[in-house]
Amino acid sequence: MTIGRFATAFLVLWSMQAQAQDVDRSAAQANINGLRADSGLPPLAYSAGLEKAALAHAGDMARKGFFSHTGSSGSTLGTRLTHAGYGWCAAAENIAMGQPGLAEAMASWQASRGHRRNMLSREVTEFAIARGAGNVWVMVLARPGC
């Protein structure tokens, strides 16, 4: 039995939405913006475009069983953002694996010098976070346009 393109696209979008609902956006936004406020930085807005890229990478890593900033097809953060239709001029990505919840993922990123630097970047204005199967986490931070 062959699934048509429409049905396949629907299943992909449905699975991406199910993963997105697993992350409490307001809790993630409160966490990162609290950290930024403590450092005298402006808050970040949540971005659906960045979420699309984060979901795609989290899903790729979960499905293919790897953990890397490079996608299974060789994609980079920049190519994933462009593919998601996000016009960017600055971007960073945090990934984590195994943390059972948002609080633990955020705490691990805050405890890591490089990940914390990404979250405190003055160059970014938006962010999104996604959770893939097996507790694969992806946070994308970026600034559109420029």
Side-chain angles (χ1 to χ4, degrees):
M1 177 178 193
T2 303
I3 298 177
R5 285 184 187 176
F6 177 77
T8 302
F10 173 78
L11 290 173
V12 168
L13 289 173
W14 178 80
S15 69
M16 286 173 57
Q17 289 174 352
Q19 290 174 332
Q21 293 172 0
D22 197 28
V23 176
D24 183 343
R25 292 177 185 172
S26 17
Q29 196 164 16
N31 185 298
I32 193 166
N33 287 333
L35 176 69
R36 289 177 66 84
D38 290 346
S39 297
L41 296 169
L44 300 179
Y46 200 88
S47 166
L50 293 179
E51 184 178 74
K52 183 177 177 183
L55 280 168
H57 192 48
D60 182 33
M61 287 192 291
R63 277 188 310 280
K64 304 273 176 84
F66 71 98
F67 185 69
S68 174
H69 289 286
T70 303
S72 64
S73 67
S75 67
T76 64
L77 172 58
T79 57
R80 290 190 293 275
L81 289 174
T82 300
H83 182 56
Y86 187 91
W88 61 279
C89 67
E93 180 180 68
N94 290 348
I95 59 175
M97 183 182 280
Q99 293 79 357
L102 176 63
E104 293 85 0
M106 296 296 285
S108 70
W109 287 326
Q110 287 182 32
S112 161
R113 183 181 299 179
H115 294 115
R116 185 180 183 91
R117 182 175 49 245
N118 288 344
M119 293 190 297
L120 295 176
S121 171
R122 294 181 184 278
E123 301 299 315
V124 300
T125 58
E126 299 180 337
F127 88 106
I129 187 168
R131 180 184 189 180
N135 293 319
V136 175
W137 297 87
V138 176
M139 174 187 280
V140 179
L141 308 105
R143 180 175 61 189
C146 291

